Amino acid sequence: LYVSDSGDWQAENGCIWMIRPDGATELLTDEVRAHSNGIAIHPIDGSLYCVESLRPAIMRVPLGPDGRASGPAEVALPLTPEIIADGIAFAVDGALLIACYTPDVIYRLSVDGKLTVLAHDPHRVTLAAPTNVAFVGSDLTTLVVSSLGRWHLTRMDLDEPGAPLNYPKVS
């Protein structure tokens, strides 16, 4: 289990922890420190992706077969200062969905690097400071989005399924 620790606000002391099946906890990386936030495992290359809300960027941490970081964290997608990303989830094809606390947008980063708007709500009714995103349902084609600004969940039916949860076997 990987857990992001945002650290103290604007202190750049965030990190990512790894909790092993036996409960042993260890630091995965402290290179993702600018308010580390949503995390997801890439369904194809197995890397861990993490939002750095205050950098702002989506970071990539390569993982080895033992589940530990196998190289330095790198910027996978730089974001502009107006964007505060929060939660992420992968589609089965490797596209990345990015929920943004501000503006009220969910972006889709295709596998070829094209960033498009999947959903936008300038009136903040359905998406109001969207934070986390998760694919649910038997076919994983329903996206559920939490909205911190109005304290509700929004459901979206998509044509593409999400990546199933990752349950690696690590030693």
Side-chain angles (χ1 to χ4, degrees):
L1 176 67
Y2 298 100
V3 179
S4 63
D5 177 348
S6 299
D8 300 307
W9 182 249
Q10 295 184 331
E12 294 203 14
N13 60 355
C15 63
I16 301 173
W17 298 96
M18 179 173 62
I19 304 170
R20 296 225 167 257
D22 66 0
T25 302
E26 60 188 82
L27 180 68
L28 178 75
T29 182
D30 62 359
E31 295 177 337
V32 182
R33 49 180 80 88
H35 203 76
S36 48
N37 217 320
I39 57 177
I41 302 290
H42 193 286
I44 299 166
D45 75 12
S47 296
L48 183 138
Y49 281 63
C50 181
V51 173
E52 267 193 307
S53 294
L54 297 179
R55 182 178 284 243
I58 307 298
M59 303 296 289
R60 177 184 174 274
V61 178
L63 298 177
D66 62 355
R68 291 183 172 91
S70 62
E74 61 188 19
V75 175
L77 177 68
L79 299 169
T80 61
E82 309 80 50
I83 296 174
I84 299 177
D86 193 287
I88 55 176
F90 279 102
V92 73
D93 71 349
L96 181 63
L97 303 187
I98 306 162
C100 298
Y101 175 80
T102 190
D104 303 300
V105 172
I106 298 173
Y107 290 105
R108 181 183 185 279
L109 179 65
S110 67
V111 293
D112 63 1
K114 184 177 179 186
L115 189 65
T116 57
V117 173
L118 177 69
H120 178 228
D121 185 359
H123 299 289
R124 307 191 85 212
V125 175
T126 305
L127 296 176
T131 53
N132 295 303
V133 290
F135 286 96
V136 301
S138 60
D139 60 359
L140 296 176
T141 58
T142 301
L143 184 71
V144 176
V145 183
S146 60
S147 287
L148 188 60
R150 291 175 69 88
W151 297 25
H152 68 268
L153 299 174
T154 298
R155 186 182 109 189
M156 301 167 58
D157 293 321
L158 302 179
D159 293 332
E160 66 179 330
L165 292 178
N166 184 291
Y167 296 104
K169 300 231 186 291
V170 295
S171 54

